[in-house]
Amino acid sequence: MTANPTPTANPTLNPTPTAEPTPVDPPTAPGVRLRQADPARVRLLPGPFAERAGHAAGVYGGLSPADVLKGFRRNAGQPAPGNDLGGWASRTTEATFGQWVGGLARLAHTLGDTTLAARAVELADGWAATLPADGDARMATYGWEKAACGLVDVAEYAGHQDALRALSRITEAAARTFDRTRSPATRTDRDGRLPYGTLEWYTLAENPYRAFTLTGDTSFRDFAELWHYDAYWDAFATRPEPGQPWDVPVWLHAYSHVNTFCSAAEAYVATGDRRMLDIARNGLEWTAETQSYATGGYGPGEWSVPDDGSLGRALEWRTDSAEIPCDTWAVFKLTRRLLPATGQAAHAELAERLLFNGIGASLPIRPDGRSYYYADYRLGGQSTKLRHWDAWPCCSGTYLQAVAAVPDLIFWPSDDGIAVAQFLPAEIRWSHAGQEVTLRQHTLFPETDTTELRVESDSPVTLTLRVRIPSWSEGFGLRVNGEPVAGWDAAYGWALVTREWQPGDRLQVTLGATLRAEAVDRFHPERAALLHGPVVLAQEGVFSSPFALPGAAADPTLLAAALTRVDPDDGDGPFAPRLRYQPTDRGAEEQPVGPFRALAGVKERWPHRVYHDLNAPRFL
Ligand SMILES: [Zn+2]
């Protein structure tokens, strides 16, 4: 994607106020101290993401604990009733077990679902009971890292301290037994597994750092320090000079080489080391600037790519354009750590792309473990949304985690008020200056171009309400109870209103989403996806002609003349933003130019096109 989240150089940040903006004093970094909201105090209001959360609770909460634990119990010589789950979980559920446990704990926390929380605890305890006396989980680095995440999550979100005792045992054993070669990944060993199968060892630090932050137990920190990925992280310690390319290692496993930045982010949270923050921040910006498609998904063929046109070229043949659930999960975690650390609204943009076009456009998990994995953005032909060929892959774990983490991303309390970073229907209750306040966001975005924030409190409350000004916005505007207001912190990308809010006061926001074409990379200026604001539009591919419009990426007025917004039809559901554009040129009688709808509205197996060569329609 070409959206540039670099706050110091944000040429696309061009809001058009409805009234003269009030200048804000230049802030000292960070301009605003945002805090992570307790997700238990955030509630998703009815909408696609609330629906997904409920659905995921049913599927993962509906798994039989005996089935999930069967392989571990069999290996431990214990009675092992139930059935193996198949696919990646044929022998044990090691590849995803920790993600399921952690995801269930998170989901239970956000839904306030004690039954679901009890299930997460039951699974964690059942698994811990299969550990041998020496604490060696007999897991490779890949499964161990996920188990550690699950145990920290069960402690943090379900309040189950026994999980930390189990984590302490397996950490002590891992410190004793894990091979410490720590091979930097290369093109021929892209996840650093050689010579002893330690794949993705460079993601191991994240959760032990979280455990250290949670407990202060230095043995977790000492273990985390073993897995710093200096050979890679050092390359991200500074951004390139403006106009210069990123000089960083590429042709490596994509998702895990973004996920490793979460280890740097947690190192920053645990130790305050600013260098770790710089690495995490630059890692997110590099991902957004050079690795991501318009959807926010990255890693064609699961490769990180050089900034030389490889991203655009991959659209010519690869059907595995991006590993959506895993990609989404890594970016959500990075965003969660970066927004409080930098205060930069732009750091929420890649997460927004993945909300609407990544996890939000994926197929829901099926109870038999068939899971959405790769998105297919291939040019010209008939891409379809399919689930992975094998049951219970990595993305079945990250799907649950990403869906459960959506409430983390929306509201960000600060000392002086609260910030709204994502435009999703949701509400938060939080304590501001000793007073309980509810902020409710009503929005049908992107079907409508507005969001409304309603302040509810027992008595008037003085606070600053910040709203992210998206880089895609043309015509952003604010009204309080219908009256235009303006004020923003341009350096950090927030619109803001400070006032005494009466109970029921409303801040109405015009978001300014418009139609545009976004080139895949600078080497392919005519190879583009069409977007409405952050929402990627997919072209109908059933007996239809492709779309072409030379120059549209450079000149959005061409697009405005070529496509007309029309009412959605019944096909635009169930997880769909109901958004639809009709080409004015209908094309051939038997193969008309296909209409466009939000990618999230494309049904399973339904032919569609995400990218287009605007100057070279691919009829054949
Ligand atoms: Zn995956």
Side-chain angles (χ1 to χ4, degrees):
M1 60 188 275
T2 54
N4 183 353
T6 312
T8 48
N10 202 340
T12 52
L13 183 63
N14 184 27
T16 311
T18 51
E20 273 305 298
T22 309
V24 175
D25 287 341
T28 53
V32 50
R33 293 192 185 282
L34 303 178
R35 297 192 302 273
Q36 172 73 58
D38 178 354
R41 309 205 79 194
V42 178
R43 191 165 70 89
L44 296 178
L45 298 173
F49 288 102
E51 200 169 332
R52 276 185 187 261
H55 179 261
V59 171
Y60 293 88
L63 285 173
S64 152
D67 294 354
V68 175
L69 295 169
K70 183 180 176 70
F72 299 125
R73 286 173 169 159
R74 181 170 52 219
N75 290 350
Q78 297 175 0
N83 300 299
D84 287 308
L85 288 169
W88 290 31
S90 291
R91 284 179 290 184
T92 74
T93 54
E94 174 178 332
T96 46
F97 173 76
Q99 298 173 306
W100 296 353
V101 171
L104 282 172
R106 277 176 166 273
L107 199 53
H109 187 65
T110 64
L111 296 175
D113 185 331
T114 52
T115 309
L116 213 55
R119 174 56 55 82
V121 169
E122 178 186 356
L123 288 170
D125 284 354
W127 175 77
T130 68
L131 288 174
D134 65 2
D136 186 344
R138 308 285 198 276
M139 282 183 172
T141 44
Y142 185 83
W144 193 97
E145 188 270 331
K146 293 162 175 60
C149 179
L151 293 171
V152 178
D153 284 347
V154 169
E156 183 169 352
Y157 298 112
H160 187 57
Q161 299 308 306
D162 285 353
L164 290 170
R165 281 187 275 281
L167 180 62
S168 197
R169 292 178 61 204
I170 67 166
T171 302
E172 193 183 305
R176 212 169 52 236
T177 62
F178 276 178
D179 175 70
R180 295 193 189 180
T181 304
R182 291 162 291 190
S183 308
T186 64
R187 190 168 182 161
T188 52
D189 176 23
R190 66 179 188 171
D191 54 17
R193 67 179 65 192
L194 293 177
Y196 298 116
T198 55
L199 58 159
E200 302 184 19
W201 61 265
Y202 42 77
T203 63
L204 282 175
E206 178 185 351
N207 290 295
Y209 269 129
R210 287 179 62 212
F212 168 67
T213 300
L214 207 57
T215 64
D217 180 340
T218 55
S219 64
F220 291 127
R221 184 198 59 200
D222 295 346
F223 181 75
E225 284 174 353
L226 293 173
W227 310 102
H228 281 209
Y229 194 9
D230 296 329
Y232 184 70
W233 292 358
D234 283 352
F236 289 90
T238 54
R239 274 192 61 93
E241 294 298 318
Q244 296 300 306
W246 290 86
D247 181 18
V248 297
V250 290
W251 294 119
L252 307 174
H253 180 249
Y255 156 62
S256 60
H257 279 84
V258 174
N259 199 30
T260 186
F261 297 127
C262 298
S263 287
E266 293 300 337
Y268 166 70
V269 171
T271 68
D273 182 349
R274 292 282 309 186
R275 189 164 181 279
M276 291 295 151
L277 172 59
D278 291 342
I279 290 163
R281 170 190 182 139
N282 293 333
L284 180 72
E285 294 177 359
W286 166 78
T287 306
E289 292 167 28
T290 71
Q291 302 297 300
S292 300
Y293 290 110
T295 59
Y298 50 88
E302 300 190 37
W303 290 104
S304 64
V305 291
D307 186 13
D308 66 353
S310 293
L311 195 69
R313 274 195 301 281
L315 293 170
E316 292 166 7
W317 66 91
R318 298 228 58 132
T319 59
D320 47 1
S321 306
E323 185 186 358
I324 291 300
C326 287
D327 286 1
T328 302
W329 172 236
V331 169
F332 281 7
K333 287 187 295 178
L334 268 178
T335 305
R336 204 161 62 93
R337 289 313 191 197
L338 282 176
L339 270 191
T342 70
Q344 290 287 356
H347 287 144
E349 294 234 331
L350 189 56
E352 177 182 59
R353 294 293 182 98
L354 286 160
L355 279 164
F356 285 110
N357 317 298
I359 199 71
S362 67
L363 298 173
I365 183 84
R366 265 187 1 197
D368 63 0
R370 292 293 299 281
S371 168
Y372 191 68
Y373 190 128
Y374 292 122
D376 178 0
Y377 305 146
R378 195 173 30 159
L379 280 164
Q382 296 188 316
S383 300
T384 53
K385 287 185 188 176
L386 297 172
R387 291 180 177 80
H388 196 54
W389 48 88
D390 228 352
W392 304 115
C394 53
C395 287
S396 75
T398 45
Y399 177 86
L400 173 62
Q401 290 174 301
V403 167
V406 171
D408 294 5
L409 303 169
I410 306 167
F411 301 111
W412 300 83
S414 58
D415 289 343
D416 61 355
I418 195 161
V420 179
Q422 301 297 348
F423 310 118
L424 303 177
E427 67 178 21
I428 181 172
R429 285 177 300 113
W430 88 109
S431 180
H432 175 74
Q435 191 175 346
E436 280 287 300
V437 186
T438 297
L439 183 68
R440 190 168 300 127
Q441 179 169 210
H442 293 282
T443 183
L444 290 172
F445 180 77
E447 287 174 45
T448 65
D449 194 38
T450 56
T451 189
E452 181 177 286
L453 298 154
R454 190 181 291 248
V455 179
E456 300 287 356
S457 56
D458 289 338
S459 54
V461 57
T462 299
L463 59 81
T464 298
L465 201 48
R466 286 179 175 76
V467 181
R468 178 170 61 88
I469 306 170
S471 65
W472 43 259
S473 178
E474 299 282 345
F476 188 92
L478 300 174
R479 291 168 185 272
V480 173
N481 302 327
E483 290 299 312
V485 294
W488 40 81
D489 173 358
Y492 288 87
W494 304 97
L496 50 83
V497 179
T498 304
R499 69 194 296 272
E500 183 179 79
W501 299 87
Q502 306 299 316
D505 273 356
R506 293 165 299 148
L507 177 65
Q508 296 135 324
V509 185
T510 299
L511 291 168
T514 56
L515 183 63
R516 68 185 193 288
E518 193 175 278
V520 62
D521 57 40
R522 67 180 186 281
F523 301 90
H524 298 90
E526 299 277 351
R527 184 163 287 177
L530 269 50
L531 292 96
H532 170 101
V535 179
V536 170
L537 302 170
Q539 190 196 18
E540 177 80 69
V542 179
F543 301 123
S544 75
S545 293
F547 181 77
L549 192 64
D555 181 2
T557 57
L558 289 175
L559 268 186
L563 292 172
T564 309
R565 180 96 179 258
V566 293
D567 288 336
D569 68 17
D570 292 342
D572 296 341
F575 290 121
R578 292 164 59 84
L579 190 65
R580 205 168 160 81
Y581 282 92
Q582 184 70 48
T584 39
D585 168 16
R586 297 306 304 273
E589 179 65 25
E590 285 186 27
Q591 292 197 1
V593 180
F596 288 80
R597 62 159 61 93
L599 179 60
V602 174
K603 291 180 285 193
E604 183 175 358
R605 301 178 63 90
W606 205 258
H608 64 283
R609 305 179 187 103
V610 174
Y611 273 91
H612 320 273
D613 275 342
L614 295 173
N615 58 347
R618 288 166 181 262
F619 288 103
L620 291 174

